[in-house]
Structure formats: C-alpha cells, structure tokens
Amino acid sequence: AGISGSASSGGVSATKTQGGLTVTGLSKSFGKTRANDDISVRLIPGEVTALIGHNGAGKTTFLNQIVGLTKPDAGSINYGSTDLIAHPTQARQICAIMPQVTSSLEGVTPRQAIATAVRIRGLKPKQAKRAVQETLDTLDLGDWADRPGHKLSGGIKRLTSFGMAVTAPAPIYLFDEPTNDVDPVRRELLWRMLRMRAEQGAPVLIVTHNLLEVERHADRYLLFNKGLLVRD
C-alpha cells in the first residue's frame, strides 16, 4: 500500500513547480476488453480529484498504469520530466497508492504496519514515530493502534491501509475506494487527511462510488464509462 521505494529517491518532491501528472492518449486492453481507451487528463497539484464510474469502467486499471503495475498499450504518463511508463520503479517512488484490496495485517498492529510503510518510504525513526502518531490521532485510531490485525474490524483494517499510503510525504497520492467499510465519522477524518495532502502541493486521486462524498469533498471528478473518460 504505497510503500515501494523511498520518498526521497532521485530528489523527487511534491512541488507545484513540476506541473502535476500528465496522461496523454492512454489505452489498455485485456483481450477484447478495452479497459482504458485514449484517456488524456492532467492531475493538478493541490487538487483532490475523484474518479467515478461503474464497476469495470477502467478506474483501477488507470491507477495501476500510473503507478507502473500495468503497462499501457499506448499513450504516455509523465510527472514533470519523468516518463513513468519507461521508469516504473520511479513511478512507485513518486506515487503512494492504497490498493482496492486491504493490506494483510496478519501478525502486526496498525501502528507497526504504518510505521513499516513510512520507514520504507524513507522517513527516519524519529520522523516516522511522529508521523505515525499524527495519523493515528487524526483518524481516531488510538483504541486500535496496538491491537493485532486479526482482532480488527474490516473498517479499521481499511483505515490502516489508508494510513500506510498517506502518512509519509509523497509527490502523488492514489487511493482505490479507501472509504469502503469505514464508519461515517472516520470517513470525514479520512477526507480531511486527503485535503491536507492536497494543500501540501500534491495531486490526490481517489476512486470512489460515493457520489455524496464526491460532491462534498472533491474539487473535480473524472467519469469513466466502458474505458472512456466521458466527463471531466
């Protein structure tokens, strides 16, 4: 969940001067299914963008191509001068991603899981400790912070995966349905953290089916339908 590479590798930083993320003519097919069809969009630093659409519309495929987990058939993905298709390792350094599938917490607590993620992304021990505690406080996870993973509810596990992706600084944040199974109170806290990261100068992209939350919290939405970007 957004833990590949170091946030400081290659001098990558989340600054508005790099102009965000630019996707041009992105296409990907699986057999006869056109998952993404000639998609062009720019993710702007400081904005929270919601990615919406029906199941199978191509939303997760789009995220996976940005982070270098899936190779496009055509098109380009650039962050500043960095070609993320040609350099998938750098893509995973630049992008912190929370996947659709909840991270396994077998044998670890939320505090340990988030701390491991932020250390992998390059934070020093003291920095990591402060950052992890801030996330636990912001998401109101104190009562569960040191409980073993097998004793946690689905919502708390989901919030832990979110914390693993969002706690360390990153130039770009990608989230795939992060509010699933999360209670209404902590959903608001989650969106608050997304806004904080955007205000620090990063593009934030979140896949969600909750249109009410999109209306309340997002600056912009991208509507996918059968692999096409039909509205921005």
Side-chain angles (χ1 to χ4, degrees):
I3 61 176
S4 297
S6 166
S8 59
S9 298
V12 175
S13 61
T15 61
K16 293 187 179 183
T17 58
Q18 290 175 301
L21 180 83
T22 302
V23 177
T24 306
L26 195 69
S27 295
K28 180 64 181 179
S29 295
F30 298 100
K32 295 182 179 180
T33 302
R34 192 81 156 172
N36 287 162
D37 191 352
D38 195 25
I39 293 174
S40 296
V41 68
R42 179 170 172 260
L43 300 181
I44 301 170
E47 278 193 354
V48 176
T49 301
L51 180 53
I52 61 176
H54 60 87
N55 290 330
K59 305 183 297 297
T60 296
T61 298
F62 183 67
L63 263 61
N64 286 343
Q65 289 173 99
I66 293 174
V67 80
L69 296 176
T70 299
K71 187 174 182 179
D73 298 329
S76 63
I77 306 172
N78 293 284
Y79 180 72
S81 60
T82 304
D83 181 340
L84 300 191
I85 298 175
H87 303 286
T89 299
Q90 290 190 40
R92 288 187 282 277
Q93 293 170 351
I94 290 168
C95 301
I97 184 169
M98 176 186 176
Q100 192 174 44
V101 178
T102 300
S103 301
S104 173
L105 297 177
E106 192 68 30
V108 297
T109 67
R111 187 188 304 276
Q112 291 170 331
I114 297 171
T116 300
V118 300
R119 288 298 307 280
I120 290 174
R121 286 200 68 87
L123 268 66
K124 304 299 183 183
K126 289 185 178 179
Q127 288 178 302
K129 186 175 181 180
R130 288 194 300 268
V132 170
Q133 190 59 54
E134 181 181 348
T135 292
L136 293 171
D137 291 343
T138 302
L139 297 177
D140 192 23
L141 290 177
D143 290 343
W144 293 271
D146 299 303
R147 293 189 186 183
H150 69 275
K151 293 186 177 181
L152 301 175
S153 68
I156 299 301
K157 290 179 181 178
R158 198 76 184 136
L159 284 167
T160 301
S161 289
F162 175 78
M164 292 170 69
V166 78
T167 300
I172 299 170
Y173 295 92
L174 309 172
F175 303 91
D176 201 343
E177 301 188 36
T179 61
N180 279 6
D181 299 323
V182 177
D183 66 79
V185 172
R186 288 181 178 82
R187 283 181 177 223
E188 292 295 313
L189 301 178
L190 184 154
W191 279 101
R192 185 181 302 173
M193 285 202 74
L194 292 177
R195 177 58 59 189
M196 289 168 55
R197 293 297 178 257
E199 290 177 350
Q200 291 167 355
V204 175
L205 180 63
I206 173 172
V207 172
T208 180
H209 290 287
N210 192 316
L211 299 186
L212 179 60
E213 290 182 351
V214 171
E215 188 175 40
R216 291 181 61 186
H217 297 292
D219 300 304
R220 168 191 182 197
Y221 72 84
L222 308 174
L223 175 60
F224 278 26
N225 183 45
K226 297 181 179 179
L228 295 166
L229 172 60
V230 296
R231 182 171 296 178
D232 180 350

